[in-house]
């Protein structure tokens, strides 16, 4: 009897310890899954960028954002829409036979993916009676859009009406919507805009390591930001702010009121050796910034914290940030700035690398925290046309002169009343 009692006890204990072991294994597995899951950090307008000293919510927060927009001094802004390729979606956002509403340069556009996989971008308003394809339109006949109002069908390729299902009369000549040039490369979808209707003057370089699958997807971040589109790439040429706004600390995160800027010799410091240069013809649309970065403790560089960063800006809206962490691996963060309104940008970062998943996640999240510090500045600053430069400010002036090449006489400018001098149209409408 004693023997059987003790065996009952040990069975119960056995079950208990098995349950604990299973529980611990589950927790470890969930933590592991969290660590290796690609980052998807999305911050909407008002999630950050305003600092009021308190968390705002609901209707009151919305009214405060409206107020900040109203009271904002924008300064003497450059034209608001530069010429170039801009990212409007990531490839995974749209499957064959799907339709996706796009807002680009203040215009409502419709992106479709044909049955064949090819993407097309057209203006959203139907020339028949003006319905909007984005609300109820669908992909039919391979690569066409069918309007939800009376069922007219337009080719995504040419924009021409191909069929009026209820009418066997002729199709009016003017039954046509505008089409925009698009490219799909590096798992992103881009549109070309030029204020004088010029055809694409350059192409987006393909990253063979992404196409070949050598670098795998490590995650993305997306931010909606109230600022002029030039502020974001200009930040890369602004060397002096790196050792103030981007000081590394333990728990500041993206909260810029917590950064201890009076630390003259912080324990851990990033040291940057910046070099900026524009490429010669025929690649004048490319500029490159080289950064060597390492941490120091009490002035002594720490081995293994060395990294080589090369930020290649390709036109006004694309930056390929290539990084090399030595034996830890290499990769890219593609940084895309897309003007959706004169002073409202959608910024998408996507990361591909051969780094360890946990390290890639740490890297992308810390990048995002630092980027969000910049957002607090951009959201509230005015544009200064002639800054007061000091020694060691970095090549801001050079960057501005280079960036000017993306504007022309006809580039839309923002009037004081909030209207534009002219509306962006597709080069196919010139
Ligand atoms: C991808 O990796 C393979 C095998 O390591 C290598 O042969 C190939 O050159 C790499 N592709 C690119 C584009 O670097
Ligand atoms: C930022 O930090 C300050 C100081 O610690 C704190 O009072 C404030 O609530 C924080 N703000 C946000 C948005 O986290
Ligand atoms: S409004 Fe589009 S078919 Fe009539
Ligand atoms: Fe910055």
């Amino acid at each position: 009897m004693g023997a059987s009692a003790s065996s009952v006890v040990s069975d119960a204990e056995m079950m208990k310890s098995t349950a604990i072991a299973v529980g611990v294994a589950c927790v470890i597995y969930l933590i592991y899954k969290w660590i290796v899951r690609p980052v998807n950090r999305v911050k909407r307008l008002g999630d950050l960028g305003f600092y009021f000293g308190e968390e705002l919510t609901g209707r009151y927060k919305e009214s405060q954002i409206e107020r900040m927009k109203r009271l904002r001094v924008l300064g003497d802004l450059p034209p608001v829409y530069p010429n170039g390729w801009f990212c409007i979606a990531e490839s995974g956002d749209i499957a064959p036979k799907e339709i996706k509403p796009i807002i680009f340069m203040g215009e409502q556009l419709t992106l479709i993916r044909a049955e064949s996989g090819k993407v097309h971008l057209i203006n959203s308003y139907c020339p028949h009676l003006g319905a909007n394809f984005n609300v109820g339109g669908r992909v039919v006949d391979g690569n066409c859009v069918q309007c939800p109002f009376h069922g007219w069908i337009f080719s995504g390729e040419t924009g021409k009406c191909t069929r009026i299902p209820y009418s066997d009369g002729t199709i009016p000549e003017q039954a046509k919507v505008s089409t925009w040039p698009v490219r799909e490369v590096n798992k992103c979808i881009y549109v070309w805009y030029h204020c004088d209707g010029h055809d694409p003057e350059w192409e987006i370089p393909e990253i063979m390591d992404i196409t070949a699958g050598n670098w795998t997807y490590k995650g993305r971040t997306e931010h909606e930001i109230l600022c002029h589109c030039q502020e974001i790439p200009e930040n890369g040429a602004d060397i002096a702010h790196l050792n103030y706004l981007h000081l590394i600390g333990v728990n500041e995160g993206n909260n810029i009121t917590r950064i201890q800027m009076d630390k003259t010799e912080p324990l851990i410091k990033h040291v940057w050796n910046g070099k900026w240069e524009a490429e010669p013809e025929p690649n004048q649309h490319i500029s490159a910034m080289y950064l060597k970065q390492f941490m120091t403790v009490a002035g002594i560089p720490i081995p293994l914290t060395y990294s080589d960063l090369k930020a290649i800006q390709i036109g006004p809206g694309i930056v390929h940030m290539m990084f090399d962490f030595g034996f830890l691996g290499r990769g890219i963060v593609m940084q895309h700035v897309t003007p959706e309104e004169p002073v409202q940008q959608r910024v998408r970062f996507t990361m591909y690398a051969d780094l360890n998943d946990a390290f890639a996640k740490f890297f992308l999240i810390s990048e995002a925290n630092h980027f969000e510090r910049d957002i607090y500045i951009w959201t509230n600053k005015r544009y200064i046309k002639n800054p007061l430069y000091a020694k060691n400010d970095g090549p801001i002036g050079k960057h501005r002169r280079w960036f000017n090449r993306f504007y022309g006489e006809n580039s839309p400018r923002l009037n004081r009343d909030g209207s534009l001098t002219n509306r962006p149209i597709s080069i196919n409408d010139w």
Side-chain angles (χ1 to χ4, degrees), residues 35 323 325 328-329 351 355-364:
I35 288 172
F323 52 83
F325 286 107
L328 289 174
M351 182 175 181
L355 293 174
N356 165 280
D357 286 330
F359 183 72
K361 185 164 215 158
F362 168 79
F363 181 74
L364 199 52

Side-chain angles (χ1 to χ4, degrees), residues 330-403:
R330 297 185 312 125
I332 187 175
V333 176
M334 292 187 285
Q335 310 181 337
H336 298 118
V337 178
T338 306
E340 292 194 343
E341 291 186 47
V343 273
Q344 184 169 328
Q345 316 302 322
R346 183 170 308 278
V347 178
R348 298 175 175 91
F349 285 13
T350 49
M351 182 175 181
Y352 289 84
D354 58 12
L355 293 174
N356 165 280
D357 286 330
F359 183 72
K361 185 164 215 158
F362 168 79
F363 181 74
L364 199 52
I365 290 177
S366 24
E367 276 283 295
N369 269 309
H370 283 275
F371 183 73
E372 286 164 8
R373 295 182 186 183
D374 288 307
I375 293 178
Y376 280 88
I377 302 295
W378 297 328
T379 304
N380 301 285
K381 79 186 291 292
R382 68 184 283 193
Y383 185 80
I384 306 260
K385 199 175 176 182
N386 298 305
L388 304 171
Y389 293 118
K391 201 181 161 200
N392 300 330
D393 264 341
I396 299 172
K398 272 190 189 167
H399 187 270
R400 285 191 177 190
R401 281 190 295 282
W402 173 78
F403 202 94

Side-chain angles (χ1 to χ4, degrees), residues 138 141 189 335:
R138 60 207 70 180
D141 295 355
I189 300 168
Q335 310 181 337

